[in-house]
Amino acid sequence: MSVDGMQLHDGAGRRKYLTAEERRAFLAAAEKAPRQVRTLCLVLAFTGCRISGALELSARRIDLEAGTIVLESLKKRRKGIYRTVPVPPRVTEALDLVHGVREAQKSKDGGQARLWPFSRTSAWRYVAKVLERAGVAGPQASPKGLRHGFGVQAVSSGVPLNMLQKWLGHAQLSTTAIYADAVGAEEQSIMHRMWA
């Protein structure tokens, strides 16, 4: 299935998304990375956002009490379109510990400074290095593979497509539906639930 050129497999039929096992290995490798790289990896893995979306994140868009992160949908034709993504407590706790979110929110500017000082290229390299340390190789070994892995994991876990569409910031449900085209263990899991 292809929507606007977006596919879950490359031209040779190789998977472009991380499996659940690869995601676990990535998160384990991220735990050993420098603190700011670790938090970037957590945000990418648990929100499915793009690197550019993570890099523009500031403390003011992290709700520690609700356990959510508010991301701007940067690929929209206009600015100021936001989406809220719930994340596990370990993500918001790590962000607060490493970036001082709570204190930044109390500051004079309310926490508008970006959390990471990285350029997009540097961030991409840091994430690729963590993927390498996790033993992830192939077309899925990229930040985009994390985004696709998030989508496949969500569908495999029974998240409704309209909710996933909101979290990923897709304008069209047909774009999000690509993740329902998962294969391998993810497809087996979906099929098992169907016949259970």
Side-chain angles (χ1 to χ4, degrees):
M1 180 178 203
S2 172
V3 177
D4 298 327
M6 193 168 96
Q7 298 180 356
L8 289 179
H9 295 86
D10 69 7
R14 296 176 302 174
R15 177 173 47 79
K16 292 182 358 184
Y17 60 90
L18 272 68
T19 63
E21 186 175 319
E22 288 170 331
R23 281 172 49 92
R24 281 190 291 276
F26 172 77
L27 290 169
E31 287 299 319
K32 298 174 184 148
R35 291 164 37 119
Q36 288 198 5
V37 172
R38 177 171 34 103
T39 56
L40 176 63
C41 290
L42 287 172
V43 167
L44 292 172
F46 286 104
T47 66
C49 71
R50 296 173 180 88
I51 279 190
S52 54
L55 290 180
E56 60 85 43
L57 192 60
S58 63
R60 74 168 31 179
R61 290 213 236 113
I62 298 167
D63 189 330
L64 296 171
E65 287 12 285
T68 59
I69 294 176
V70 178
L71 296 159
E72 186 169 9
S73 296
L74 299 173
K75 286 187 77 175
K76 305 291 183 190
R77 296 203 185 277
R78 59 189 169 95
K79 293 190 67 60
I81 299 174
Y82 298 94
R83 63 190 190 275
T84 302
V85 182
V87 294
R90 73 187 261 204
V91 176
T92 52
E93 289 165 5
L95 289 168
D96 190 27
L97 178 68
V98 173
H99 301 279
V101 170
R102 198 174 307 274
E103 288 305 312
Q105 290 172 345
K106 293 177 187 173
S107 71
K108 195 172 194 174
D109 73 357
Q112 347 182 42
R114 289 177 29 187
L115 297 181
W116 295 281
F118 311 144
S119 69
R120 189 179 184 289
T121 304
S122 294
W124 200 98
R125 283 190 202 125
Y126 294 143
V127 173
K129 191 70 168 165
V130 173
L131 284 160
E132 181 183 314
R133 287 188 187 129
V136 179
Q140 75 275 26
S142 71
K144 186 72 164 195
L146 282 167
R147 180 172 169 82
H148 286 325
F150 176 86
V152 170
Q153 181 72 28
V155 168
S156 297
S157 300
V159 172
L161 283 179
N162 63 330
M163 183 69 66
L164 180 58
Q165 174 189 12
K166 176 185 161 217
W167 293 345
L168 290 174
H170 291 155
Q172 302 293 322
L173 188 60
S174 59
T175 304
T176 312
I178 186 175
Y179 298 110
D181 194 30
V183 295
E186 293 79 15
E187 188 173 38
Q188 291 294 329
S189 171
I190 292 167
M191 185 63 102
H192 176 71
R193 282 198 319 277
M194 184 175 111
W195 296 114

